[in-house]
Amino acid sequence: FLQESRAYSEVVPRLASAGHRVPERIGEDRGLRVLVLTEVPGRPAPERDVAVHAQAGEVAAALHAIPLVDVDPMSIFEVLQARVAEWSDESRDRVDAGTLARVTDELADPAVFAGATRSWCHRDWSPRNWLVDDQGRFGSIDFEHCGPDLWLVDLLKLADGVWRGFPETRAAFYQGYGRVPDGR
């Protein structure tokens, strides 16, 4: 609740003021841990629609560009090392040892994350949280997990989902985002 409330104080209004279609907070009860939000008119976005992915890239770029004062004492490298250790323990019976070793090895060099900074991230950026209205305008919802993180976190569900079978959606997203991640 506190994380989502913070998003509706610090992040979502900035997206709205930039013209992006997002819910607005119209009420909050901290005691009951309830947020009252406006509706974002639309229907679930078609996950294979390149125009939707281009718009999703534009909104993600706007989100990641919102100023953030990063007070986390742990570096992105340290956080990712902790996440990998936790995820490896949780998935040992479902993921083969070779894959786990490869992931651990790929993320073992702190130089890979040199210069990486946190930005505001949705942290559940996927078509299930995107809407389109009758004019094809993009809207985004569900800021429950929004918080500071490495911007690439917002691409994980896309890369592991729709982008696998439909690379044209990935290209459209990056076009809307305005950049493509480098090899690092």
Side-chain angles (χ1 to χ4, degrees):
F1 171 82
L2 293 176
Q3 185 167 284
E4 187 171 17
S5 177
R6 182 180 180 199
Y8 280 99
S9 295
E10 299 180 36
V11 178
V12 178
R14 289 181 155 225
L15 292 172
S17 69
H20 300 292
R21 294 180 350 101
V22 291
E24 295 180 42
R25 178 176 48 196
I26 55 177
E28 176 176 307
D29 185 320
R30 287 188 174 252
L32 294 175
R33 294 183 178 254
V34 172
L35 292 170
V36 180
L37 308 172
T38 60
E39 177 183 10
V40 177
R43 62 190 178 286
E47 72 172 24
R48 298 177 185 171
D49 187 315
V50 293
V52 166
H53 281 264
Q55 291 179 77
E58 291 172 17
V59 176
L63 172 63
H64 298 157
I66 295 172
L68 169 71
V69 177
D70 185 5
V71 295
D72 195 320
M74 292 180 72
S75 71
I76 289 175
F77 174 73
E78 292 167 322
V79 170
L80 287 175
Q81 291 301 299
R83 285 180 184 170
V84 167
E86 181 180 338
W87 294 335
S88 293
D89 287 343
E90 290 175 1
S91 64
R92 267 194 217 294
D93 59 339
R94 295 182 299 276
V95 179
D96 66 272
T99 300
L100 293 174
R102 179 172 168 245
V103 169
T104 301
D105 289 346
E106 290 283 333
L107 299 176
D109 182 4
V112 171
F113 301 97
T117 59
R118 288 178 179 83
S119 63
W120 284 108
C121 291
H122 187 278
R123 294 163 69 181
D124 193 9
W125 199 240
S126 65
R128 72 180 189 180
N129 288 318
W130 304 343
L131 303 170
V132 291
D133 67 10
D134 291 337
Q135 291 78 40
R137 295 178 304 165
F138 183 89
S140 53
I141 59 171
D142 191 11
F143 288 84
E144 173 186 1
H145 300 290
C146 182
D149 215 327
L150 180 63
W151 68 277
L152 290 167
V153 167
D154 277 344
L155 309 187
L156 293 176
K157 288 186 178 182
L158 297 169
D160 194 41
V162 66
W163 289 358
R164 282 180 175 231
F166 302 91
E168 63 276 10
T169 57
R170 179 181 56 236
F173 180 92
Y174 287 139
Q175 181 178 5
Y177 193 81
R179 74 173 181 162
V180 176
D182 63 23
R184 187 173 52 134

